Each structure stands twice: as C-alpha cells, then as structure tokens.
C-alpha cells in the first residue's frame, strides 16, 4: 500500500461502500414510502359497513322540467334544501341538495337558447351557484362572494370567512336574500356542464354534502351525428365520499357549521378523499346494458380524487374507450384510449361498445389509481343482444378554435404550489392566496393568451368563462387525452402545462382556480378581469 | 507525500480531472434549475432539461476517458465509479421525463454526491500508472 496517501485504498473502499449503502437505503425507502402512483390528498375511513360492489342499480338523475317559457328562454326553479338520502342501503344520510336529490336534477338545454334558473336557498348557510364550463355573463357566473343568503340572514353578508376575519371585504359583492335568478345564455358548444356550490371558503364541504348537478347543452349538429342516444346515453357523475357512524357524510371541516372558519384538519390539507365511490349518487352501482354501443358522459365530481379509468371484461380484456368529446364539447375526431385519466371537474365523452361481450358478462369500470375498495367504480351487466344503428363518425366537429402561439398577445406564468396564508397552511397561485379585492390578471375582451402553469403536486386548473387548448406538457407534446377544447387541465406533480385561449364572450370579473376543492377553499383561486 | 518526488500526471489523468470537474459544475446547476422551475419560473424547465442533456453527455464522455485511463494507466477504479454514476444518471434522466418524482429527487441527490466524491477523488491525488506509483 502506498504510504504517501492520506487515505488507503481499503479506507476508500470503505467510504465508497458506505456511500453506496446510503444511496441504496435512500432509494429503497423512497420506493417504499412514496406514493406510487402519486396521489394528492388523504383518505377518510367510513365508520359504517360498506355494501358489496355492483349490487345497487345505477340511478340516472331526473331531467328538470321548466316552469315556464318566455321570449325563447326557459325558466327553471331549484330549491336548495336539506334532505335525507339512502345512499348506502339501509343507511340514512342527511345531505344538502338541489331539489332534494343527489345529484341534483339535470337541466337539458339547447345551444343559444337562454335558460334562467331561479335558486331558492333554504339551507342554513349562504350559497353561490356556478355553472362549470358555462359561457356565462359575470353577474350569473357565481363569483364566490355573490352570496345567496338564507331568509333572514342578512347579517351574513358581513361574515364571509377569512375575507372579513382579516379585514378584507369585497366591495363588489352582490348579495341577495332567499332567491336569486341565474341566467345562462348557453351560446356555446354543446357539452356536459355541471352546476355546483362555489361559496367563498366553503365550496369543498358544500359539494361534498351534495350540492352538485348536471347541465347538458345540445345542438342539431351533434344530434345529427348518429351517436348512441336515449337510454344508450348515460351521464356518469363519479364522486367519492365517506360516511360517519351516524350515517352522515364524514368531512374533516375545522368548522362543522361551515359558516365562519374555513379549512380542513391538517392531515387533509392536500385534499379529502372518501373510501366509497359513488356514481350518480349510488355506491359502486351496476347497470344493465344491451350488447351495443353506449355514450358515457363522464364527470369527475370528486373534491380531490383522480381516476384512471379502464373498462375490463370478465376475462380480463380491456374495452376501447373511444373519446368523442372533452370538457368543452366534441373533438375533431375520436381518440381511442384503454386507460383514461380524469381529474376533479374534468369531463370525458366516451363511447364504449359492449357488442363483443358475451350475454350475461360483467364489464367492470376500474380506477387504476385506487386501491382496495376504491379500485372499483361501477359495472355494466350485458343483458341482451340488440340492434345498434349508432355510429361514431370519423369527423365529429369542424368548429374547434385553431389558435396558434403567434396569435397570442401575451404569455403569463403561474405557479400552483403549497405555501402559507394568514398564518396557516394554504395553497397559492403565483405566491399569493386568493383575495377578492385584488385583480390578478387583466385582459382585453378578444385577446389570445398563452398561459404556462406549473404545479408542485396535483392541481386540476380550471378557467371560468373560456375553453382552452393544451399546447404542451412539460415542454413535450400534449397527451392523447388533452385533445379538444378543455376548461380544466390536470397538472401532475412537478408538471408544467401550456394552454392557449381567447378571452371572449363577456367582460367582467371571473376566476381561475385549482379544482381540487380543498385547495380552492384554502387560497388557490385568482381573479381574471376581462375589460 | 513528499517522498514521492512530484510524480508526473499523464495527459489521460489530466483529461479525467477536466471531465470530472466539468461534470461536477454541470450537475450542480440541476437542483438550481429545478428550484427555479418549481417556484414558477418556466425558463427553469428548459434549463433543467438542457442541463440533463449536458450532464448525461459529459457522463458518457467521462466513460470514454475512464476507459483510456484504464488502458493507459491500468487503473480500473475511475471506470467502475464512472459507470455507476452514468447508470444512475441514465435512470435519473428517464425518471425525470416520466415524472417519477419519488425516484427522481433522491436519485438526483445521490448522483450529485457521487460526482462530488469523484471530483475529490481525482484531485486529491495524482493519477499515476498502476505499478509506477506503488514501486
Ligand atoms: Cu390544487
């Protein structure tokens, strides 16, 4: 051994070995401790026995009838009220509902034919109605401080969660009592929208308690395509929940009255996940189908849970999920998936062909991101042979906007990440928590912009008023499921997404925010002023 | 130390020192760019991915130099260490592209440490022909 060296070869070997051991231990622990696949949120555990899967029939929410028609517009009435539901067989669950049901009634409408929905608030808290994906004037877009107060609760306008607690208030808020008319021009591409509560600081628990419903827009061009229709078109609102021992919905709110103190208990800051998967309000339901094509209009109405859906037959073979539409309507051409990721608030319009499945066969819809009971979503039982004259045309639409980067008048960057707000944990956009009194983005009506969004953990980012197209993901081309016109884009941990849109439709104050409902309540919203 | 009267470093030895040094500088930039990116600076993303290309390219260059060192100086160590580092960097590259952050973050720290250790190793003593040094 050379004596002149400070460290002998044996020592070098020892040091090298120790470093190697440290590296191996570190990587093994990372593999063992990290969530693979990654999941943002923490799961609640139900305290009641859960039913076996694929026993409860799939409900389809009733279509609401208009109470009147005047001047080419339809008028609807919805009462927001407490109601009891039997979601789990034999268990009574008190809920907050639209018209007494969960999901709320479905509104069917035609492109360009305005709809006015008169909401009456009989709940114990203020509410706000937002039509997600609607091209709606700002006054009816459900800004979080535009409260609809319950009767005799005028003092609530002075009590708006962290806004008032911290000496901020919103001088532009338009507060009404008992009833409020929301008018939706629906001058937009036909698609599946959904309406839900959007109250400042308490959106997540309000949706969790049941304030969500579907709103479908159709037009003649879509009707003429020959897609599966009638009983072969099914809306599927997927949402996870957890149940307390008394049958109520469990939720880790800091303020169980959902009036003053926003936020959830610390372990759930990243998002609240349930251990029961509901589709249209039923746990792991089953639906009898013909051996034919079905159009499934899928909405992820969960607060924080992401899904990767696949349709698996009894022999383990996966059916094609033929995507025909995105959040904001039909794609240009179908895109075939075997595995379809869906983030909170995203919608996918998908055709599945059951004709190759043997009669009596069960097709399970499975969530690849789930584990244990949350791996199952629902099932289809193929009951009978049937004629099928539906088709999936090669060209679905020709009206998708073709914005190019060169059209953009400006580029904006936004980081979506964890941070501190008002001395507590929160979620920030561009380093700031939401403040109704601060305008974050001002743009001119008609301007085309490119937005570059960067995430630390999962953040499904939603823009009100407009649809956008995905230009890139982490500097690479968009993924197959990014096709078409979207209003919510799912950012995965460490991911950057570039989107392009044109701010048209209406002037006024709108929002963009993370649609992880817990993040949204804990600061992750920002104002978008269109002038 | 003073006993070995100024042993002459060969060009192969100097080249290895140069490549390992460049490697260390390049890899030190990677966490900086990642930090920029994750705090919302979109330019950090392209710097981080360009940096990944540079780091892996230097890694492969270092493999070649280490082979030369092995052949000329009969020292296998630099080659073995470099191979381990380059294997880790290759996995690291694809873990990054894949968004597998559970692997990308700890492996990133590990590779930075490994390159720094190699940097210390090549500079703290001259690389001499095996046999010549021990004689
Ligand atoms: Cu988020």
């Amino acid at each position: 051994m050379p004596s002149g060296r400070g460290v002998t070869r044996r020592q070098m070997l020892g040091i090298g070995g120790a470093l190697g051991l440290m590296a191996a231990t570190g990587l093994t622990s990372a593999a063992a401790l990290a969530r693979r696949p990654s999941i943002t949120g923490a799961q609640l555990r139900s305290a009641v026995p859960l039913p076996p899967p694929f026993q409860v029939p799939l409900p389809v929410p009733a279509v609401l009838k208009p109470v009147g028609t005047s001047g080419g517009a339809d008028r609807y009435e919805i009462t927001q009220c407490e109601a009891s539901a039997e979601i789990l067989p034999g268990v009574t669950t008190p809920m907050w509902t639209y018209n007494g049901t969960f999901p709320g009634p479905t509104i069917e409408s035609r492109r360009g034919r305005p709809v006015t929905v008169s909401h009456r608030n009989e709940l114990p808290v203020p509410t706000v109605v937002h039509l997600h994906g609607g091209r709606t004037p700002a006054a009816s877009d459900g800004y979080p401080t535009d409260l609809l107060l319950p009767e005799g609760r005028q003092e609530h306008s002075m009590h708006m969660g962290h806004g008032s607690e911290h000496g901020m208030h919103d001088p532009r808020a338009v507060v009404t009592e008992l009833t409020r008319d929301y008018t939706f021009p629906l001058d937009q591409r036909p698609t599946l929208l959904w309406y839900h509560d959007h109250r400042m600081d308490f959106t997540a628990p309000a949706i969790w308690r049941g304030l969500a419903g579907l709103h479908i827009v159709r037009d003649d061009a879509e009707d003429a395509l020959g897609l599966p229709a009638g009983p072969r078109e099914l809306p599927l609102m997927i949402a996870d929940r957890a149940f307390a021992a008394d049958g109520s919905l469990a939720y880790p709110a800091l303020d169980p009255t959902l009036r003053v103190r926003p936020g959830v208990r610390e372990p759930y800051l990243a998002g609240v996940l349930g251990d029961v998967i509901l589709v249209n309000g039923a746990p792991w339901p089953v639906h009898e189908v013909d051996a034919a094509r079905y159009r499934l209009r899928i909405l992820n109405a969960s607060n924080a849970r992401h899904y990767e859906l696949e349709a698996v037959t009894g022999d383990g073979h996966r059916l094609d999920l033929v995507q025909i539409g995105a959040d904001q309507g039909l794609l240009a051409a179908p895109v075939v998936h075997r595995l379809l990721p869906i983030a909170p608030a995203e919608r996918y319009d998908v055709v599945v062909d059951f004709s190759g499945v043997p009669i009596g066969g069960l097709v399970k819809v499975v969530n690849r991101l789930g584990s244990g009971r949350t791996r199952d979503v629902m099932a289809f039982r193929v009951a009978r042979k049937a004629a099928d004259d539906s088709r999936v045309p090669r060209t679905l639409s020709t009206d998708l906007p073709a914005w190019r980067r060169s059209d953009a008048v400006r580029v904006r960057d936004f980081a979506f990440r964890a941070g501190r707000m008002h001395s507590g944990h929160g979620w920030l956009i561009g380093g700031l928590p939401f403040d109704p009194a601060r305008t974050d983005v001002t743009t001119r009506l008609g301007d085309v912009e490119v937005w570059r969004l960067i995430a630390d953990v999962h953040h499904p980012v939603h823009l009100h008023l407009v649809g956008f197209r995905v230009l890139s993901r982490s500097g690479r081309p968009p993924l197959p499921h990014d096709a078409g016109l979207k209003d919510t884009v799912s950012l995965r941990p460490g991911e950057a997404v570039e989107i392009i849109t044109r701010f048209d439709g209406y002037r006024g104050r709108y929002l963009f925010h993370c649609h992880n409902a817990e993040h949204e309540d804990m600061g992750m919203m920002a104002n978008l002023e269109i002038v | 130390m003073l006993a070995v009267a100024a042993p002459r470093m060969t060009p192969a030895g100097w080249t290895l020192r140069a490549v390992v040094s460049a490697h260390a500088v390049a890899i030190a930039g990677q966490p900086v760019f990642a930090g920029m990116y994750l705090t919302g600076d979109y330019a950090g993303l392209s710097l981080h991915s360009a940096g990944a290309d540079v780091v892996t390219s230097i890694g492969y260059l270092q493999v070649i130099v280490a082979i030369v060192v092995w052949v000329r100086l009969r020292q296998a160590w630099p080659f073995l260490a470099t191979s381990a580092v380059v294997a880790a960097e290759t996995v690291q590259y694809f873990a990054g592209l894949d968004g597998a952050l559970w692997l990308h973050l700890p492996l990133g720290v590990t590779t930075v440490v490994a390159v720094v250790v190699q940097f210390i190793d090549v500079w703290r003593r001259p690389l001499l022909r095996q046999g010549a040094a021990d004689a």
Side-chain angles (χ1 to χ4, degrees):
Chain A
M1 278 291 130
S3 54
R5 296 180 188 176
V7 183
T8 64
R9 173 147 297 162
R10 179 175 295 185
Q11 280 171 314
M12 265 323 265
L13 266 174
I15 292 171
L19 288 175
L21 191 66
M22 272 186 251
T25 314
L27 293 176
T28 322
S29 349
L33 297 175
R35 294 175 175 183
R36 290 179 297 136
S38 59
I39 290 168
T40 299
Q43 186 167 307
L44 290 164
R45 246 182 108 136
S46 290
V48 292
L50 301 179
F54 320 137
Q55 304 290 313
V56 181
L58 174 79
V60 175
V63 173
L64 190 64
K65 288 194 173 55
V67 292
T69 292
S70 62
D74 296 317
R75 185 176 178 83
Y76 292 88
E77 284 177 2
I78 289 180
T79 302
Q80 306 172 3
C81 58
E82 293 178 289
S84 285
E86 187 180 332
I87 290 178
L88 303 179
V91 175
T92 303
T93 303
M95 300 192 74
W96 288 355
T97 67
Y98 293 116
N99 274 4
T101 63
F102 174 70
T106 299
I107 296 179
E108 284 270 0
S109 53
R110 305 294 298 183
R111 178 180 197 158
R113 184 179 169 89
V115 159
T116 296
V117 185
S118 179
H119 278 267
R120 182 184 169 89
N121 182 5
E122 294 184 357
L123 291 167
V125 296
T127 59
V128 170
V129 180
H130 170 61
L131 179 61
H132 181 118
R135 213 165 104 103
T136 307
S140 287
D141 196 51
Y143 192 82
T145 53
D146 288 348
L147 301 175
L148 168 53
L149 305 175
E151 201 170 16
R153 282 272 171 75
Q154 193 65 48
E155 83 278 8
H156 263 287
S157 57
M158 299 296 120
H159 259 288
M160 292 174 330
H162 68 239
S164 57
E165 270 174 55
H166 295 81
M168 292 186 292
H169 76 294
D170 180 13
R172 293 166 76 182
V174 179
V175 176
T176 51
E177 193 181 329
L178 191 59
T179 62
R180 185 177 188 119
D181 284 0
Y182 292 88
T183 297
F184 306 112
L186 300 170
D187 175 19
Q188 61 185 98
R189 304 181 84 231
T191 189
L192 171 66
L193 311 175
W194 63 300
Y195 60 99
H196 62 77
D197 197 66
H198 212 307
R199 174 171 53 123
M200 183 77 185
D201 297 334
F202 296 100
T203 294
I207 295 176
W208 187 268
R209 288 210 186 174
L211 292 180
L214 303 174
H215 186 139
I216 298 173
V217 185
R218 302 183 188 278
D219 74 356
D220 296 342
E222 186 184 295
D223 293 348
L225 290 177
L227 296 167
R232 292 189 190 159
E233 177 189 338
L234 294 169
L236 302 177
M237 179 200 272
I238 305 176
D240 58 340
R241 293 291 185 270
F243 294 82
D246 62 0
S248 66
L249 292 166
Y251 191 83
L254 293 176
D255 175 6
T257 68
L258 305 183
R259 288 220 192 113
V260 183
R261 193 174 168 206
V264 291
R265 295 202 314 269
E266 215 242 75
Y268 300 93
L269 286 172
V272 177
L273 310 173
D275 59 354
V276 178
I277 308 298
L278 307 177
V279 182
N280 295 345
W284 301 287
V286 59
H287 188 68
E288 273 199 359
V289 292
D290 300 337
R293 273 185 289 272
Y294 276 71
R295 179 180 184 187
L296 308 179
R297 312 197 66 169
I298 308 170
L299 157 68
N300 180 358
S302 309
N303 281 20
R305 185 179 288 282
H306 291 239
Y307 303 79
E308 277 183 14
L309 301 174
E310 57 183 8
V312 189
T313 62
D315 56 9
H317 154 95
R318 296 197 290 179
L319 297 184
D320 281 349
L321 304 172
V322 181
Q323 187 192 347
I324 55 168
D327 302 333
Q328 287 286 320
L330 293 167
L331 307 181
V335 176
V336 179
H337 305 277
R338 283 287 168 83
L339 191 63
L340 185 63
I342 180 166
E346 281 189 310
R347 285 92 71 212
Y348 286 95
D349 200 344
V350 164
V351 173
V352 177
D353 190 350
F354 295 111
S355 64
V357 179
I359 303 306
L362 194 70
V363 177
K364 286 190 202 176
V365 178
V366 169
N367 171 23
R368 281 271 291 268
L369 299 178
S371 56
R373 295 297 312 267
T374 61
R375 204 170 170 85
D376 291 328
V377 175
M378 65 169 296
F380 295 96
R381 170 82 61 193
V382 180
R384 61 197 84 80
K385 283 208 177 315
D388 187 358
D389 59 359
S390 73
R391 53 189 223 103
V392 178
R394 274 224 282 262
T395 301
L396 295 161
S397 70
T398 52
D399 65 333
L400 278 170
W403 304 301
R404 287 159 310 168
R405 280 176 195 275
S406 54
D407 300 332
V409 297
R410 60 189 77 82
V411 176
R412 300 182 201 261
D413 291 3
F414 299 100
F416 289 74
R417 60 185 169 86
R420 297 194 72 79
M421 55 178 283
H422 322 306
S423 74
H425 290 284
W427 295 93
L428 314 176
I429 300 177
L432 297 170
F434 181 58
D435 177 355
R438 180 190 68 231
T439 299
D440 299 279
V441 168
T442 305
T443 188
R444 283 201 322 265
L445 188 72
D447 277 1
V448 175
E449 298 195 358
V450 168
W451 285 17
R452 308 191 293 195
L453 317 170
I454 302 172
D456 59 351
V457 294
H458 290 93
H459 296 295
V461 176
H462 169 49
L463 271 65
H464 285 209
L465 183 69
V466 292
F468 53 76
R469 306 204 66 175
V470 178
L471 288 175
S472 75
R473 270 188 191 266
S474 290
R476 289 185 291 163
L479 296 171
H481 66 271
D482 293 323
L485 196 62
K486 295 183 57 63
D487 57 45
T488 308
V489 62
S490 174
L491 275 74
R492 297 170 300 180
E495 199 169 47
V497 167
E498 287 183 295
I499 59 171
I500 186 167
T501 190
R502 183 163 184 266
F503 292 95
D504 64 355
Y506 307 94
R507 291 185 176 83
R509 181 168 63 157
Y510 291 91
L511 286 172
F512 63 101
H513 61 88
C514 176
H515 221 294
N516 173 313
E518 279 76 32
H519 296 189
E520 174 182 341
D521 281 348
M522 289 181 279
M524 202 167 250
M525 291 201 288
N527 286 303
L528 163 64
E529 187 83 39
I530 300 172
V531 296
Chain B
M1 221 175 271
L2 39 119
V4 189
R8 275 183 305 118
M9 277 274 285
T10 62
W14 279 111
T15 313
L16 186 67
R17 279 184 172 176
V19 174
V20 170
S21 306
H23 201 171
V25 170
I27 207 166
Q30 288 303 85
V32 177
F33 302 143
M36 284 169 61
Y37 168 57
L38 285 177
T39 49
D41 185 345
Y42 194 82
L45 174 62
S46 35
L47 288 172
H48 189 69
S49 45
D53 291 335
V54 171
V55 170
T56 13
S57 308
I58 295 178
Y60 291 122
L61 189 65
Q62 193 180 313
V63 173
I64 297 168
V65 176
I67 291 174
V68 173
V69 166
W70 189 7
V71 171
R72 291 277 179 86
L73 309 181
R74 306 234 187 97
Q75 297 248 27
W77 266 112
F79 172 75
L80 295 174
T82 301
S83 304
V85 167
V86 166
E89 280 173 353
T90 307
V91 173
Q92 174 67 352
Y93 193 95
F94 289 102
L97 282 183
D98 235 41
L101 299 185
W102 69 269
L103 179 60
H104 191 70
L105 268 58
L107 189 57
V109 174
T110 306
T111 37
V112 172
V113 170
V115 173
V116 168
V117 168
Q118 244 195 326
F119 175 81
I120 296 170
D121 184 50
V122 296
W123 281 101
R124 62 170 292 281
R125 60 195 161 108
L127 263 171
L128 302 176
R129 193 181 159 86
Q130 185 77 38
D134 292 351

